[in-house]
Amino acid sequence: MHKLALSDGAGIRPVIPALVEEVFDLDGGHETLDFGSALGFLLSLCRLRGKKVEDVGITAEEIGTLDGSLISASAGVAAILDSASSVFTTLLDAVAALSCEAAGADVAAAFDLPASGDGFSVKDETDVAGDMKVILFGSKFTGRLATEHFTGIPAVHASFRSAVRTLHGRTRVVLNSLIRSRKKDADPWNHGRETALASLALPLCLAARAAGKSSLGRARSTIAALGDPGLRSSVSEVFEKNLVSTKAADEADDVEVLHEAHELLLTLRKILAWEAALALFVIERDESFDKTQSEPFQIEKKKKKKTLGRGTSVIRQRMLAFVNGAPDNSSVLGNLAKDFLLYFDPKCTSLHNLLRDVKEIVESNEIRRLPKIPKGTRDFGKDQMAIRERAFSIIIDVFKMHGATALDTPVFELRETLMGKYGEDSKLIYDLADQGGEICSLRYDLTVPFARYVAMNNISSLKRYQIAKVYRRDNPSKGRYREFYQCDFDIAGQYEPMEPDFEVIKVLTELLDALNIGEYEVKLNHRKLLDGMLAICGVCPEKFRTVCSSIDKLDKQPFEQIKKELVEEKGLAVETAEKIGEFVKKRGSPFEILSCLKEEGSPFLEHEESSAALIDLEILFKALERSKSTDKIVFDLSLARGLDYYTGVIFEAVFRGATQVGSIAAGGRYDNLVGMFSGKHVPAVGISLGIERVFTIMEQLAKGHNQSARATETEVLVAVLGKDLPLAAELVSEMWRVGINAEFSIHKKVMKHIDRARQSRIPWMVLVGELELEKGIVKLKNIEESTEEDVPRGEIVEELLKRMEKAAPPSSHRRRRAVV
């Protein structure tokens, strides 16, 4: 009826849906309906209502519409499956929480999953773990038993949630799609629909089996928690006798798979009913359990009782209310499980009350569940910040060594500034809500804002660097973020051929060498050479940029997949795509590939732009050779760089070490970008270092060498024994005044001060107590060498300066003398 209501068959007479509605209202006989054909369906409807089909009649248009509606039987089954499975996403957690209490499961570590936005954690798993922590908050039962059936709850339940969500999304689309009044064989949209729904039911089958297996394991662990051996044996016998094994939907037609998935959910419901019955039975028999927990007006007993978690206490109350009291012996377990089987029926109103209560508990965030960060972002703690600051310091030093000046631009720009500059990647730009007439977007990179700045300020020449965050609405993965830093170095202005290009590439190699991250290579190509290659292969100029976007994916996908995209999506001939494939395979040392492309008869020499590009590249390679930089350069004709604004040399640095992060830097020449804003021709070339991936490499290297950077630069800890804040303030201020990096600590125990100094790796400690005050001295401790000596109170600052100047670099000496 739902699909019939969505049909576009205006010629359907009211008598047809009225007849269907009458049959729906019957008490039985629905299983005799014939969904095989429109005529068979109408005949079965008339038979159930005692009518003749001749009296109702049917037109050709009605037959077409009914045919379109009837093929949605699989969608109807999927809808029932969706309804039946959705309740389990919460019910699984509720029953598992009861079992955790009954068996005394040790799940603290399993449910303590940190949320991460960097693609290294599974959101559904962290959500399940967080929900379970909230439900069990306050429990005094858990913490004794650790088995995979309990510790695996986040992974198993997350898998089920994901399968249910996927099926729900597809079913919703199919149910609400329009049915055309034509024969089903003529409607191409219908082909494969049942197969698609069945393919989504299979993951649900597997998830339901895994959930059932996990539930069985928890039920057996709950039985094992019973202290009385005789009772444990009798309960186990009752349970195993009533146990129903799960089965798989292996080989069946598409609609049958959907039915098998539903059968698996019914089996899962029975297993959960037994798990809940056993958990409740064990909890109620536990004499240490405080049964007055939810009844605060009763007099407390002298013996300290255990309490359930806040959430599981509510779940227990709801379940006991449904079965009218606690089970008193093992003989009633079977009846209790049957009661819960009725309770867990998706049509049961009491179940929805339970699910509502659990949802309210989880959403109340009573344990102040830690907030999460968005996908594709990350926090930098003190250890990561130490690495980042060291990297930034190295990078800025290299930039300044080449005479670059710093620049900062707004984090968001007018949307019109950014659009039309990134080709197919423009879809990754974050748009902001209209806040008063200006449509703005978060910056995608630092290059376009730099070009806008140069154009807006009528600048003809500028060498600048900028380190700032950029934003891309990309799919997060390992090493790929939505918010990340870029470190840019650009040279704008008129120069001799390849002069700024050489310096920018040299800056790139110096950066990567100075950061000491390991092996890398710089892939290099020329946009005009690339355009010449496409022209030689027979690609029309209008398709150059879109074809380059496909070629740019060769570092992630095999050429056969790219070839399919070029032919089927970009409209190239197969022969053209194969010619491109031959060219993009060429890569090697700069002069080797250059000689190959300049051989007599080379098609590149006959193409004006590619010939000019080869001349530019020869100048560049000679300069790089004289600067001893060509050993890191690879001439690679597959390098395309999908951004629309590149016009000349393009390059990309790729890390070749054990940590797989892909590209770590990229750049190129963009002669027309400034002119797009001002009409003034200001050529430019630049490099952008993806510092987030460099951080990942540096962190892995530090872990591999069992090293960690100091989070602070503190040189002295002023340790005052007692509670004398004025004394600590006096001493530490004297050190700050002369430029010594110092912290202070006030505590009566000496070891507290020493532990703090060791943990923070502070080399010196100045210790002062009542005895030292009386003598007019302080103790100067060398933490690393575990030595100490007495120093007159008035000479401690001068003594510290002398000792630190011996070990400090010259720049630090100059700073301290200036302060003094």
Side-chain angles (χ1 to χ4, degrees), residues 673-745:
L673 189 55
V674 176
M676 293 174 72
F677 296 112
S678 66
K680 181 180 178 181
H681 183 66
V682 181
V685 61
I687 177 68
S688 180
L689 180 70
I691 194 64
E692 239 70 28
R693 296 184 178 184
V694 172
F695 291 155
T696 301
I697 297 168
M698 295 176 75
E699 287 172 3
Q700 292 299 321
L701 288 174
K703 288 179 182 177
H705 293 94
N706 199 24
Q707 297 173 345
S708 60
R710 279 191 64 192
T712 70
E713 296 181 7
T714 305
E715 299 163 301
V716 179
L717 176 65
V718 175
V720 175
L721 297 174
K723 300 181 179 180
D724 197 341
L725 175 60
L727 174 60
E730 177 187 352
L731 271 169
V732 76
S733 295
E734 291 178 10
M735 297 177 191
W736 289 338
R737 200 172 295 124
V738 298
I740 295 175
N741 298 333
E743 297 180 46
F744 66 92
S745 174

Side-chain angles (χ1 to χ4, degrees), residues 17-204:
L19 181 60
V20 175
E21 187 175 3
E22 289 173 7
V23 171
F24 279 176
D25 288 337
L26 295 176
D27 293 332
H30 303 107
E31 68 277 4
T32 65
L33 285 171
D34 181 4
F35 290 94
S37 67
L39 188 57
F41 182 58
L42 188 60
L43 283 169
S44 59
L45 286 173
C46 291
R47 184 174 60 253
L48 282 171
R49 289 298 297 140
K51 296 182 177 182
K52 294 181 179 180
V53 71
E54 293 83 4
D55 296 335
V56 176
I58 188 167
T59 67
E61 188 175 8
E62 287 173 336
I63 289 175
T65 301
L66 282 174
D67 273 333
S69 301
L70 291 173
I71 60 172
S72 300
S74 59
V77 179
I80 296 171
L81 184 59
D82 175 35
S83 174
S85 61
S86 60
V87 299
F88 282 105
T89 55
T90 303
L91 186 60
L92 280 169
D93 296 346
V95 175
L98 273 182
S99 291
C100 288
E101 301 272 22
D106 184 1
V107 290
F111 295 164
D112 190 20
L113 297 181
S116 171
D118 60 5
F120 296 151
S121 64
V122 179
K123 183 179 182 301
D124 282 329
E125 287 190 24
T126 58
D127 286 349
V128 171
D131 292 349
M132 293 298 293
K133 282 177 68 175
V134 173
I135 295 172
L136 291 168
F137 176 62
S139 170
K140 302 301 181 183
F141 275 79
T142 59
R144 302 190 305 273
L145 173 71
T147 71
E148 61 176 333
H149 302 299
F150 291 102
T151 58
I153 287 172
V156 173
H157 291 195
S159 175
F160 191 89
R161 286 188 184 188
S162 177
V164 170
R165 184 171 58 249
T166 304
L167 178 67
H168 173 75
R170 176 73 182 188
T171 303
R172 183 180 177 185
V173 170
V174 173
L175 277 178
N176 293 293
S177 60
L178 183 70
I179 292 296
R180 300 170 180 86
S181 55
R182 63 181 73 173
K183 291 186 177 180
K184 62 181 180 179
D185 293 336
D187 190 350
W189 192 86
N190 291 322
H191 293 311
R193 190 190 307 169
E194 290 183 348
T195 302
L197 285 171
S199 68
L200 294 179
L202 285 173
L204 182 62

Side-chain angles (χ1 to χ4, degrees), residues 465-477:
Y465 75 87
Q466 183 175 359
I467 298 177
K469 288 182 176 180
V470 298
Y471 300 85
R472 298 183 184 179
R473 200 159 48 90
D474 208 347
N475 289 321
S477 60

Side-chain angles (χ1 to χ4, degrees), residues 581-738:
E582 290 300 317
F583 280 120
V584 296
K585 291 177 183 177
K586 294 183 182 294
R587 76 186 304 269
S589 64
F591 288 107
E592 176 191 347
I593 301 299
L594 185 65
S595 298
C596 177
L597 298 180
K598 292 181 68 177
E599 286 178 351
E600 186 176 348
S602 170
F604 290 96
L605 297 178
E606 300 172 5
H607 189 274
E608 184 179 352
E609 288 199 339
S610 59
S611 179
L614 291 174
I615 294 172
D616 284 346
L617 290 173
E618 185 170 10
I619 296 170
L620 176 63
F621 292 157
K622 286 180 178 179
L624 289 170
E625 183 182 39
R626 295 289 288 271
S627 68
K628 297 180 170 43
S629 302
T630 52
D631 60 317
K632 299 292 186 181
I633 308 297
V634 175
F635 194 173
D636 190 340
L637 289 187
S638 71
L639 180 66
R641 302 294 298 150
L643 302 183
D644 277 2
Y645 53 66
Y646 286 126
T647 59
V649 171
I650 50 177
F651 38 85
E652 180 178 84
V654 179
F655 181 62
R656 293 302 183 195
T659 305
Q660 298 298 313
V661 294
S663 172
I664 52 178
R669 173 166 285 279
Y670 50 99
D671 287 347
N672 302 325
L673 189 55
V674 176
M676 293 174 72
F677 296 112
S678 66
K680 181 180 178 181
H681 183 66
V682 181
V685 61
I687 177 68
S688 180
L689 180 70
I691 194 64
E692 239 70 28
R693 296 184 178 184
V694 172
F695 291 155
T696 301
I697 297 168
M698 295 176 75
E699 287 172 3
Q700 292 299 321
L701 288 174
K703 288 179 182 177
H705 293 94
N706 199 24
Q707 297 173 345
S708 60
R710 279 191 64 192
T712 70
E713 296 181 7
T714 305
E715 299 163 301
V716 179
L717 176 65
V718 175
V720 175
L721 297 174
K723 300 181 179 180
D724 197 341
L725 175 60
L727 174 60
E730 177 187 352
L731 271 169
V732 76
S733 295
E734 291 178 10
M735 297 177 191
W736 289 338
R737 200 172 295 124
V738 298

Side-chain angles (χ1 to χ4, degrees), residues 407-419 421-422 429-434 438-454 456-457 464 466 468-471 677:
L407 175 69
D408 192 23
T409 56
V411 73
F412 55 91
E413 298 270 353
L414 292 175
R415 191 169 188 270
E416 63 191 45
T417 299
L418 304 180
M419 296 310 292
K421 314 298 189 303
Y422 304 107
I429 293 174
Y430 271 109
D431 293 327
L432 302 179
D434 186 353
E438 288 188 335
I439 307 300
C440 298
S441 300
L442 294 178
R443 62 189 174 202
Y444 177 89
D445 64 7
L446 303 178
T447 306
V448 172
F450 169 62
R452 188 265 309 153
Y453 173 83
V454 171
M456 194 174 76
N457 292 279
R464 83 88 169 87
Q466 183 175 359
K469 288 182 176 180
V470 298
Y471 300 85
F677 296 112

Side-chain angles (χ1 to χ4, degrees), residues 250-426:
D250 293 326
E251 297 183 4
D253 64 34
D254 295 327
V255 177
E256 189 177 345
V257 168
L258 294 170
H259 284 290
E260 289 289 350
H262 189 258
E263 290 297 318
L264 276 173
L265 289 180
L266 294 178
T267 300
L268 176 59
R269 196 164 91 200
K270 183 171 183 179
I271 294 172
L272 280 177
W274 271 97
E275 182 186 358
L278 288 167
L280 200 61
F281 177 74
V282 171
I283 289 172
E284 295 304 314
R285 288 192 60 83
D286 193 328
E287 295 181 357
S288 65
F289 169 48
D290 182 6
K291 294 182 175 60
T292 67
Q293 182 177 347
S294 57
E295 303 163 8
F297 299 107
Q298 291 194 15
I299 300 173
E300 289 189 13
K301 297 180 180 180
K302 292 183 180 181
K303 187 177 178 181
K304 191 173 181 180
K305 296 286 188 176
K306 292 181 183 177
T307 56
L308 296 175
R310 302 279 177 86
T312 38
S313 176
V314 172
I315 294 168
R316 166 184 170 266
Q317 292 171 45
R318 280 286 186 187
M319 290 188 172
L320 286 177
F322 184 81
V323 297
N324 297 319
D328 50 7
N329 59 71
S330 61
S331 63
V332 301
L333 273 175
N335 292 331
L336 189 62
K338 289 179 181 178
D339 288 341
F340 282 144
L341 189 60
L342 296 174
Y343 188 29
F344 295 166
D345 190 321
K347 298 186 290 291
C348 179
T349 304
S350 298
L351 173 65
H352 290 280
N353 292 335
L354 169 68
L355 300 181
R356 184 199 62 217
D357 289 347
V358 174
K359 185 177 180 182
E360 288 177 356
I361 292 166
V362 169
E363 291 179 350
S364 70
N365 202 13
E366 190 170 354
I367 63 168
R368 297 296 179 263
R369 186 166 21 151
L370 293 177
K372 301 173 184 177
I373 58 175
K375 284 184 177 181
T377 62
R378 65 179 294 193
D379 291 319
F380 285 86
K382 60 180 183 178
D383 294 333
Q384 290 81 17
M385 283 300 298
I387 294 174
R388 191 170 89 179
E389 288 180 349
R390 181 163 64 88
F392 281 166
S393 176
I394 292 170
I395 292 166
I396 292 172
D397 285 346
V398 173
F399 288 161
K400 287 184 175 181
M401 185 173 67
H402 285 261
T405 56
L407 175 69
D408 192 23
T409 56
V411 73
F412 55 91
E413 298 270 353
L414 292 175
R415 191 169 188 270
E416 63 191 45
T417 299
L418 304 180
M419 296 310 292
K421 314 298 189 303
Y422 304 107
E424 294 182 0
D425 282 349
S426 293

